[in-house]
Amino acid sequence: QVQLVESGGGLVQAGGSLRLSCAASGRTFSSKCMGWFRQAPGKEREFVAAITPAISWSGFNSYYGDFAKGRFTISRDSAMNTVYLQMNSLKPEDTAVYYCAAADQLSPEISHYPYWGQGTQVTVSS
């Protein structure tokens, strides 16, 4: 069983930065791919970024949604069982509830993630 708790959301102005954290528990955390998704009011949940478990000969591999490339960065600290999402150059359209999720394979598909956190609100003002 994997439990996920997000934190770090809040209110920021356009052009600002925010760093989200996802604290994970469970003995299988280190073997899971971790993802971030977001959902704005009246819209469907969409993929933000995902990252693989650590591999010594290749390092971490990551994948981003098109809107996140060049602005958002996903990373993980296995020793602390924590996944991060660094968000820079934020725009009002980034306003949403952001969710941390865990899967067995790197994927942008919601159906591949059986474990989810409760979400954290990010609001970007103009």
Side-chain angles (χ1 to χ4, degrees), residues 54-59 61:
I55 302 175
S56 62
W57 48 266
S58 65
N61 288 323

Side-chain angles (χ1 to χ4, degrees), residues 55-74:
I55 302 175
S56 62
W57 48 266
S58 65
F60 294 112
N61 288 323
S62 57
Y63 179 72
Y64 296 90
D66 288 339
F67 69 88
K69 295 177 181 177
R71 296 195 299 129
F72 294 1
T73 302
I74 187 171

Side-chain angles (χ1 to χ4, degrees), residues 93-115:
E93 51 263 42
D94 294 320
T95 296
V97 176
Y98 284 71
Y99 297 90
C100 179
D104 291 327
Q105 190 172 31
L106 187 69
S107 174
E109 300 180 25
I110 295 174
S111 63
H112 289 173
Y113 291 80
Y115 305 103

